[in-house]
Amino acid sequence: MKLIVPILLSLNFFFSVGIHSAKLPLNATSLSVSGFGVASNFNTWINPASLANNQKTHFNFSSNSWLQDVEGSYINYTFDRSKISVHTWAVDQLEQYGESPSDAPLGFFGSRIIFANYSKGFSKSGHSMGFNLSYIYMTLLELDDKGFALDFGYQKKITELLTLGFSGKNLFCDFKSGDSLPKLITLGIKKDFNSLPISIFLDIYDDQDKGLGSFKGLKYKNKFFELIGGLKYLDDFDKIDMSFGFNIVRENIKFSIATLVKNDDSIGNPVFYQVEYSF
């Protein structure tokens, strides 16, 4: 499917595909919970504090198909309590038109954005904290932009079965163009159960762009597979997105697939595939 973008709207498209792609989940793990689960021990995208309890070294790759031919990839290396990762988003074969109506495009172009991230978690006196520092570069036609963004996360085990999480994404941004990423503030809990292999997640968030919302999720786990799903209420609770994930675990290899059923699915639904190898 090709996108038709008038040349006079190129700058707006660049901003939406570029800067706002920083808000997209970066792998199948994060997509399966709509990017949330701030008190979880697996979604470092929303909360780098979960790295404070990491006890394994692993390599992770995800192939991501978003909406309208927007394609991405993600790769990371996690060791000790640190993570180094790179992910990209790109869209090609955009048709470029001038000011006058025409049946034929003047040409074709694409947009790309690259994120290079370093994340670190640490613990002190029962409190887990973490940060994520991102360098972001984006390009469209002869336009480009680059800058840095900083996230912060916090987690605390209230009891053995209840965990509290808090995160602030894009708390600090500095871009060459003067633009900034919208802040995302999230507070949530994770509830485990002694007699059941499930975890329940509840998040409340404030998106600087879209207002207040919430996420409710459930994860079922055994030694062979994991099932994850959730409901994300957005735009001041007026809309709902549903996310689903399925993981197959075989010794030190995990295969994952996740999808997001958006409130408006007329332009399709994202699907991400991921493989993780633990050392």
Side-chain angles (χ1 to χ4, degrees):
M1 176 182 179
K2 294 181 179 179
L3 301 177
I4 301 176
V5 183
I7 191 170
L8 293 179
L9 298 180
S10 291
L11 184 60
N12 289 334
F13 179 83
F14 172 65
F15 184 80
S16 61
V17 173
I19 282 184
H20 283 268
S21 65
K23 299 172 62 176
L24 303 182
L26 46 77
N27 57 14
T29 298
S30 57
L31 182 66
S32 67
V33 286
S34 299
F36 287 92
V38 71
S40 74
N41 61 354
F42 57 84
N43 190 5
T44 59
W45 179 86
I46 189 67
N47 196 344
S50 60
L51 284 168
N53 300 308
N54 179 66
Q55 297 179 347
K56 64 180 182 179
T57 299
H58 66 260
F59 168 84
N60 182 305
F61 174 78
S62 184
S63 176
N64 309 327
S65 295
W66 193 245
L67 306 174
Q68 293 186 320
D69 294 340
V70 177
E71 300 288 335
S73 62
Y74 170 82
I75 186 171
N76 88 58
Y77 177 67
T78 302
F79 57 99
D80 296 328
R81 299 179 177 184
S82 302
K83 182 180 74 171
I84 299 172
S85 64
V86 175
H87 67 283
T88 65
W89 289 105
V91 57
D92 297 311
Q93 293 298 302
L94 300 173
E95 296 178 350
Q96 179 178 302
Y97 291 83
E99 298 181 27
S100 302
S102 173
D103 293 332
L106 299 175
F108 298 88
F109 64 98
S111 174
R112 278 172 171 66
I113 180 167
I114 301 172
F115 302 80
N117 313 287
Y118 175 72
S119 306
K120 177 72 174 178
F122 47 94
S123 297
K124 185 174 182 180
S125 303
H127 300 270
S128 297
M129 291 164 280
F131 70 87
N132 177 67
L133 179 63
S134 300
Y135 172 76
I136 305 165
Y137 175 78
M138 58 194 79
T139 179
L140 172 70
L141 292 173
E142 297 179 354
L143 304 173
D144 64 20
D145 200 2
K146 55 188 175 182
F148 292 89
L150 180 66
D151 310 329
F152 172 78
Y154 171 83
Q155 287 184 347
K156 168 70 176 176
K157 262 190 172 297
I158 306 302
T159 69
E160 284 300 314
L161 301 177
L162 184 65
T163 303
L164 173 72
F166 168 84
S167 73
K169 292 192 66 65
N170 310 317
L171 294 180
F172 173 78
C173 297
D174 184 20
F175 281 84
K176 182 182 73 172
S177 64
D179 292 325
S180 63
L181 300 175
K183 293 180 175 60
L184 176 64
I185 307 298
T186 308
L187 177 68
I189 59 170
K190 179 185 75 167
K191 180 69 171 72
D192 296 314
F193 299 87
N194 278 325
S195 57
L196 296 172
I198 64 172
S199 299
I200 294 176
F201 307 95
L202 174 61
D203 291 1
I204 302 293
Y205 67 87
D206 183 11
D207 187 318
Q208 190 175 7
D209 270 354
K210 296 186 176 181
L212 295 173
S214 69
F215 171 78
K216 301 174 183 178
L218 175 71
K219 179 179 180 179
Y220 169 82
K221 178 179 180 180
N222 63 36
K223 64 179 181 179
F224 299 112
F225 67 89
E226 301 169 351
L227 295 174
I228 309 172
L231 297 174
K232 176 185 175 184
Y233 299 81
L234 62 161
D235 290 342
D236 289 326
F237 305 99
D238 287 337
K239 299 179 181 178
I240 300 176
D241 287 349
M242 294 183 292
S243 57
F244 304 96
F246 178 67
N247 305 327
I248 299 175
V249 183
R250 290 293 181 270
E251 296 181 350
N252 56 347
I253 299 179
K254 179 190 292 187
F255 297 96
S256 305
I257 181 173
T259 187
L260 181 68
V261 181
K262 297 184 69 62
N263 182 264
D264 178 9
D265 61 359
S266 60
I267 53 177
N269 298 306
V271 179
F272 293 8
Y273 301 92
Q274 178 180 324
V275 60
E276 178 181 303
Y277 179 79
S278 300
F279 298 90

